[in-house]
C-alpha cells in the first residue's frame, strides 16, 4: 500500500511556542490529506481536511487560527500548532487517500506532542 | 455516515480465530464497511473493506450479513502482534475518500 510518513514522531515544546508537524506521501501524490487528533484513551477525531493549493476545511470546534494547515505541494502537508498550551498535548495523525482510485486511506505513524 | 456499535473489548487465545462483530443497522445502500486497527501509539492500519459480498485478503476476512446490518471481521490465526484497537467504520462514496469517522472500537487482546 501507499506510504505516508510523519515527522517528527514526538516533540516536546514549551507553552506559548509553535510546533510544526509534517505529513508526506512518499510514493504517491496526494491532493487531499486529513489531520486527526487523539487524546489518551480516546478515539481519533478529525480536525481538518487539507487540500493542495487551497485552504483547509476545518471541522466544527477546531480553531483554524490555532491549527494552521499548509498543503503547498502534492506530497507535503504541514500542521502548525501555534501558541501551544498543555491542553494541546495529544497524538496527531495524518492520512492520505489511496491514489489509485481505491477508497482506503493510509495513515502516518503519528506525532506525539507534549507541551510543558 | 452510518453509526457503528462494537464491543468494548475482546480476548482471544494465540493461534485461534478472532471474530470481531460490528453492528451498523442504519447503513444505507451505497455505504461500505471498513475495518482499521491501531496498535498502541501508532497510526491506524487499513485491514479490509466490503460492500455486500464477503471479502478476504492476506490479513483477514470480512463477513457481511445479507441485510448488511452487521458484519464480522475474522482474523483466522491470531498472534500476539494482533493485539490492537479494531475500528469498524461505515462510509459512503463521493469525494471525501479517506475522511473517516472513528468510534471507540474494540480492544482485542491476544494472549498466549
Amino acid at each position: 500500500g501507499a506510504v505516508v510518513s510523519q515527522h517528527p514522531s514526538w516533540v516536546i515544546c514549551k507553552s506559548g511556542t509553535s510546533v510544526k508537524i509534517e505529513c508526506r506521501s512518499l510514493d504517491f501524490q496526494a491532493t487531499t490529506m486529513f489531520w486527526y487528533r487523539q487524546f489518551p484513551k480516546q478515539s481519533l477525531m478529525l480536525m481538518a481536511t487539507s487540500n493542495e493549493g487551497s485552504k483547509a476545511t476545518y471541522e466544527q470546534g477546531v480553531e483554524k487560527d490555532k491549527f494552521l494547515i499548509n498543503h503547498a505541494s502534492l506530497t507535503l502537508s504541514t500542521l502548525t500548532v501555534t501558541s501551544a498550551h498543555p491542553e494541546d498535548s495529544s497524538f496527531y495523525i495524518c492520512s492520505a487517500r489511496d491514489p489509485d482510485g481505491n477508497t482506503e486511506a493510509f495513515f502516518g505513524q503519528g506525532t506525539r506532542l507534549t507541551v510543558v | 455516515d452510518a453509526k457503528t456499535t462494537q464491543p468494548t473489548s475482546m480476548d482471544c487465545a494465540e493461534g485461534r480465530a478472532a471474530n470481531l462483530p460490528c453492528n451498523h443497522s442504519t447503513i444505507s445502500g451505497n455505504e461500505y464497511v471498513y475495518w482499521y486497527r491501531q496498535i498502541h501509539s501508532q497510526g491506524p492500519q487499513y485491514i479490509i473493506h466490503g460492500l455486500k459480498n464477503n471479502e478476504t485478503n492476506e490479513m483477514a476476512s470480512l463477513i457481511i450479513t445479507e441485510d448488511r446490518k452487521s458484519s464480522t471481521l475474522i482474523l483466522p490465526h491470531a498472534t500476539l502482534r494482533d493485539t490492537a484497537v479494531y475500528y469498524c467504520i461505515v462510509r459512503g462514496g463521493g469525494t471525501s475518500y479517506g475522511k473517516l469517522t472513528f468510534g471507540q472500537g474494540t480492544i482485542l487482546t491476544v494472549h498466549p
Side-chain angles (χ1 to χ4, degrees):
Chain A
V3 178
V4 176
S5 178
Q6 279 183 247
H7 178 80
S9 297
W10 60 270
V11 58
I12 301 173
C13 72
K14 293 184 178 180
S15 288
T17 61
S18 296
V19 174
K20 179 184 287 187
I21 302 170
E22 296 185 345
C23 179
R24 293 183 184 274
S25 55
L26 296 187
D27 51 0
F28 67 101
Q29 294 182 331
T31 56
T32 304
M33 293 184 175
F34 303 89
W35 287 96
Y36 296 80
R37 179 168 54 181
Q38 185 176 32
F39 292 109
K41 299 189 184 300
Q42 294 187 23
S43 190
L44 285 80
M45 293 295 294
L46 179 67
M47 298 175 67
T49 301
S50 174
N51 303 298
E52 188 271 334
S54 65
K55 292 183 179 180
T57 304
Y58 291 82
E59 296 299 302
Q60 189 172 8
V62 178
E63 301 174 58
K64 64 178 193 271
D65 294 330
K66 180 170 183 61
F67 298 100
L68 301 179
I69 292 174
N70 185 281
H71 195 155
S73 79
L74 288 171
T75 59
L76 173 64
S77 174
T78 61
L79 169 68
T80 301
V81 182
T82 63
S83 187
H85 291 286
E87 55 265 32
D88 297 323
S89 298
S90 188
F91 193 51
Y92 292 86
I93 309 166
C94 70
S95 75
R97 284 165 26 183
D98 185 300
D100 294 329
N102 297 315
T103 58
E104 56 263 38
F106 295 94
F107 288 81
Q109 71 270 37
T111 297
R112 175 76 59 191
L113 170 64
T114 302
V115 184
V116 298
Chain B
D1 295 336
K3 182 179 178 180
T4 63
T5 303
Q6 299 177 250
T8 302
S9 62
M10 295 183 67
D11 287 342
C12 178
E14 188 177 21
R16 306 296 293 269
N19 298 295
L20 291 87
C22 179
N23 285 321
H24 31 79
S25 59
T26 60
I27 192 171
S28 59
N30 66 344
E31 290 183 315
Y32 287 76
V33 179
Y34 286 78
W35 283 84
Y36 285 80
R37 72 180 183 184
Q38 185 179 25
I39 296 171
H40 183 62
S41 294
Q42 297 183 24
Q45 175 189 23
Y46 166 80
I47 302 173
I48 199 167
H49 75 280
L51 182 62
K52 53 184 176 182
N53 297 322
N54 296 338
E55 302 288 345
T56 295
N57 62 22
E58 65 277 6
M59 289 184 68
S61 294
L62 174 61
I63 308 298
I64 303 174
T65 57
E66 191 170 344
D67 63 7
R68 303 207 326 119
K69 293 185 177 182
S70 66
S71 60
T72 300
L73 177 74
I74 301 173
L75 307 179
H77 305 287
T79 70
L80 299 179
R81 288 178 295 181
D82 291 323
T83 293
V85 181
Y86 287 76
Y87 297 100
C88 170
I89 299 169
V90 173
R91 62 165 294 277
T95 58
S96 293
Y97 291 145
K99 182 177 179 180
L100 301 171
T101 301
F102 288 81
Q104 293 305 306
T106 296
I107 301 171
L108 174 68
T109 303
V110 181
H111 52 84

